[in-house]
Amino acid sequence: LNHTWVMPRKIALPWLVFIFYLVIHALYLSAFVRLPITTTLFGYNAYYFFLLILPVFFVLKDCMPGKWLLLWFLLLSLPLALLGLAQYITNHPIVPVQSNDDRFMVQSLWFFGQVRAVSLFPSPGTFGNIIALACALSTAWFLNAITAKNRRTLLYVGVLILIMLLTAFTTLTRAVYLQAASVLGFCLLWRWTTSAQRSTWLKLWPIFTAFFGFITALVAGGVLGRSEGLLSVSSLQERLYQWRLFLDVWWSENSASPFFGLGYMPYKGFGNIASSDLKAQNLDNSFLAIGVHIGLIGLLLWLWLMWQAWGYILRSAMAAPTPWRLGLAAFWSTWALSGVLNVNLVVYPLILLF
């Protein structure tokens, strides 16, 4: 254990303010929205659990060398990726995707008659997080091998990168494509910039990529006209409808809802809002989901905490640019982009453990 643990001040301050706000928010929901405390705690646990236990991560941090973590993660990722490729090629799930009592089911498995690669995960998006992280780590290792002029490592890791990129494609999930492209872009920028430039350009990379993701979602419907396959805009149009629907309710439910939210987790069948239209919808956007859940104040505090955590990850990579640190930074740089088309709140705080 890290017995000399000190939580970085730039993370500790927003973390403490965020925790304090959640306490006030829970009291508000209980007193004014009449939301059961069990429902409130369920929502906090589902969305913010790994953020709530951040101090524990810093106690456990650096228990294993990054070199071994890199090797073990990629060794575990490879068979998972090969299983995903096999699912796509055979157009068959291969492994069970639904429990006997129907309480568990892999989500979004089929895409216009084609099985998406999910490997052993509950959705293509969740699997895509693993593949995007594997892409980031293997690309960082590849860059390190270029510097070291190790041709054998370049060959092996180059093949690994190709496998991960092919697997990313077989998820048939555009959010995963954006993640994979973003980590590659981050690594290329790292290669082509100086240390002084990295502290500016790479720190702003999440903003650039998230903006690109929003623009893609907003304008793609008018550019892509095919009704089927990867160029289908039906899912984007559905997301835009969801965004408008939840945004309208969030800002108009009552005078306090814009600031404190609704305490509502935007998943089908769960929530405290009577509207059947909302209960029949998911909300595939992290920023709106948090806003609906804990309000504009909570959203701004969450963004502050995530931004400071991102700065910590980037500084760690710049101080010790090992393949492990650089790969984690490349993956963490997608934290804002991945939230544009999905609710993706769990995996990024977990990375702070390493």
Side-chain angles (χ1 to χ4, degrees):
L1 297 179
N2 184 6
H3 296 290
T4 61
W5 163 73
V6 175
M7 193 174 182
R9 184 177 299 178
K10 289 186 176 181
I11 297 179
L13 178 59
W15 180 80
L16 288 170
V17 175
F18 185 68
I19 296 297
F20 178 75
Y21 173 76
L22 289 184
V23 173
I24 300 300
H25 184 255
L27 295 175
Y28 161 78
L29 292 178
S30 178
F32 297 100
V33 183
R34 304 298 180 184
L35 192 66
I37 190 64
T38 53
T39 301
T40 300
L41 294 178
F42 178 87
Y44 291 172
N45 178 71
Y47 273 3
Y48 318 115
F49 176 75
F50 288 121
L51 284 177
L52 297 178
I53 64 169
L54 272 187
V56 178
F57 289 178
F58 285 93
V59 173
L60 300 175
K61 198 172 183 63
D62 298 327
C63 288
M64 184 180 294
K67 180 179 179 179
W68 288 107
L69 290 170
L70 174 71
L71 290 173
W72 277 112
F73 182 84
L74 292 178
L75 284 174
L76 290 173
S77 299
L78 183 58
L80 294 173
L82 294 177
L83 175 58
L85 286 172
Q87 290 170 329
Y88 178 83
I89 292 171
T90 62
N91 202 28
H92 189 275
I94 300 178
V95 296
V97 294
Q98 186 173 352
S99 62
N100 292 332
D101 59 4
D102 292 335
R103 290 180 180 271
F104 169 81
M105 180 185 300
V106 171
Q107 302 295 318
S108 305
L109 178 63
W110 294 91
F111 184 79
F112 293 104
Q114 172 65 54
V115 169
R116 287 168 150 157
V118 295
S119 192
L120 301 178
F121 294 86
S123 70
T126 305
F127 180 45
N129 280 324
I130 301 300
I131 296 303
L133 179 53
C135 281
L137 292 171
S138 52
T139 304
W141 194 1
F142 188 85
L143 294 181
N144 181 265
I146 292 176
T147 302
K149 299 181 180 179
N150 189 327
R151 294 183 179 180
R152 179 176 296 181
T153 301
L154 285 172
L155 176 61
Y156 293 156
V157 178
V159 171
L160 184 61
I161 293 172
L162 289 177
I163 291 174
M164 294 304 166
L165 290 176
L166 284 173
T167 306
F169 171 79
T170 60
T171 64
L172 302 179
T173 305
R174 281 167 288 200
V176 176
Y177 298 169
L178 290 174
Q179 269 186 298
S182 180
V183 299
L184 292 177
F186 179 93
C187 289
L188 290 175
L189 274 177
W190 181 280
R191 175 71 178 174
W192 293 336
T193 54
T194 64
S195 297
Q197 292 171 329
R198 289 168 189 163
S199 62
T200 301
W201 291 105
L202 290 181
K203 188 170 185 179
L204 296 176
W205 186 250
I207 297 176
F208 294 148
T209 53
F211 179 76
F212 176 79
F214 271 113
I215 295 299
T216 299
L218 292 174
V219 307
V223 177
L224 304 177
R226 288 183 54 178
S227 59
E228 294 185 357
L230 288 175
L231 295 183
S232 170
V233 297
S234 59
S235 63
L236 290 176
Q237 292 170 342
E238 182 179 358
R239 281 174 169 82
L240 293 176
Y241 170 74
Q242 294 168 351
W243 297 357
R244 289 192 297 268
L245 181 64
F246 280 94
L247 187 62
D248 288 345
V249 175
W250 171 24
W251 284 88
S252 61
E253 182 75 2
N254 55 61
S255 59
S257 64
F259 303 102
F260 295 102
L262 308 168
Y264 179 85
M265 288 183 63
Y267 291 119
K268 290 180 181 178
F270 182 86
N272 58 303
I273 298 177
S275 171
S276 59
D277 289 338
L278 286 179
K279 287 192 175 183
Q281 295 289 333
N282 290 323
L283 177 56
D284 289 319
N285 184 287
S286 292
F287 307 100
L288 281 176
I290 291 177
V292 169
H293 190 216
I294 58 176
L296 181 61
I297 297 174
L299 174 60
L300 292 175
L301 292 176
W302 176 81
L303 287 171
W304 181 26
L305 177 55
M306 292 294 286
W307 183 257
Q308 293 300 334
W310 157 238
Y312 168 79
I313 291 283
L314 181 60
R315 287 192 300 272
S316 297
M318 293 180 65
T322 63
W324 176 249
R325 292 291 177 203
L326 176 55
L328 291 184
F331 177 75
W332 236 92
S333 71
T334 67
W335 69 270
L337 171 64
S338 68
V340 173
L341 298 177
N342 284 304
V343 176
N344 197 6
L345 303 175
V346 175
V347 65
Y348 294 96
L350 183 59
I351 296 296
L352 289 168
L353 175 60
F354 306 104

